Amino acid sequence: MKITITKDLDKAQDVLFLGLFEEEKDNGKSFSKELAEEVEAAIGRKAFSRQFGEMYATKLAALPYKKVAVLGLGEKKDFNTEKVRQALGKMVTATKGWILSSFTTNVVEKARHDKVDQKLLGQSAAEGLLLANYGFTKYFSKEKQEKKKPLSLVALQSAGSDEFGEGLRIGRIIAEATNVTRDLVNEPANVVNSEYMEKMARQVASQYSSVKMKVLNKTELEKEGMGALLGVNAGSSNPPKLVILEYNGSKKGKYTALLGKGITFDSGGYNLKPTKYIEDMATDMAGAAAVMAAVKIAAELKLKKNLLAVMPLCENMVDATAQHPGDIVRAYNGKTIEIGNTDAEGRLILCDALAYTEKNYNPEVMIDLATLTGACVVALGYYAAGVMGKHDDLLHALHEAGSASGDRVWQLPFFEEYQDWMDGSKSDLNNNSQKGKGYEAGSITAGVFLSKFVEKAKWAHVDIAGSAYWMVDGAYLNKGATGSGVRMLAYYLMDNEEKE
Ligand code: BES
Ligand code: ZN
Ligand code: ZN
């Protein structure tokens, strides 16, 4: 999608969208008397209100567009950059629904006031537009694809500024990388396996000279003693892998390691998932796909930062060779783990990845992203990932990045009382909680398990089980994979560059 900035509304486009704040009681009369009268009548018969997100569409002979629509923007004081994403997202979706291919709007200009950061405004505009224009349509027939065709052009009416233009450029990079992640997560498990993920990572490494790649295959994983990761893959015919992308963007500063759960299908193993829970489990590599995108963004933006994306890649399957409930495995750091539940596999691949990363790269910060627990979906639903850890400054920074990017994280407590809930009876740890009925505080106990594999680094765990894949449409993210974590990480990294 091309995005242009024009001083006036662009009359050459298919659709015109005018934003209307609650306060604009004249319904934009100065722009078009005819439209204002029609909108007033629509308000009268309750077909429209200027509350945020309401839309009224019509066609007016006096205006050169195929369709003209007004979008309620709510009260001026509540309008912010996330609302810009949402408003533009709604316009994209509506235009697509009318099978038209371009629009012009004054909404970005309406968001301009002294307190709004122009760069953030540009980022939000590009993100709202490009994320909403995404669709996973590659397996549709031509005719079906035609009905879901993405828009080709959006003309933003804006006075513009260098910062706004720079924001648009950055937002496009972030959104396009997010959409690659969404493709990877939406693809089924008969396409995306560990080798496919490795191939995608290799593409990133070959595209940027600042990015190097390292792959540990089964023999090396065995040699290194990653028994927890190997146990998870034991029932799969796809090979296990630990893929590491290393981005060097600064002469100063230790690594920030981003780790992502890369289960290319989670059947649950012998603790098999039931119908209604198993079907979407090709998405269980969303964490790995997100950290890969974060490195791509850092390289594209040339961020002054040293970064790692660490992706343990496995498949959790049932087979004669699969691990049994009750097995005991030894992790990279020497700790033994009883397999209380073969379906709690994410923590098993991540614990080896965390311990390996800390020992071999000595990072200052480690952030893991994982579709880790159903409990997180129950607790937070879709609209925030759960975040936990022991370093308040890091948790705070991630929260800020989540709010600014609209890719939210919400902190779950890491109370002292939970810290022994994952202790094993025959071994050091159990991968399933041993207190109560076992499922209480399921997201927190999973986080506690991971924490036992981190020694010195500042660490945070982000559970994206609910936020990575939506069962409903949002304002700018449609149903399916969302790329959860990518924007949050990108904003966090941009805010925390090394000062050289
Ligand atoms: N991949 C799942 C978690 C999940 C659930 C992700 C729903 C996305 C949507 C994870 O591996 C899992 O199965 N977790 C178990 C852990 C339990 C056995 C301790 C769960 O949450 O039920
Ligand atoms: Zn599982
Ligand atoms: Zn899983």
Side-chain angles (χ1 to χ4, degrees), residues 261 263 266 273 281 284 316 343 345-346 371-372:
K261 172 176 172 182
I263 295 286
D266 181 11
K273 285 186 182 294
M281 282 300 131
D284 214 17
N316 190 21
D343 197 11
E345 84 299 335
T371 45
L372 207 62

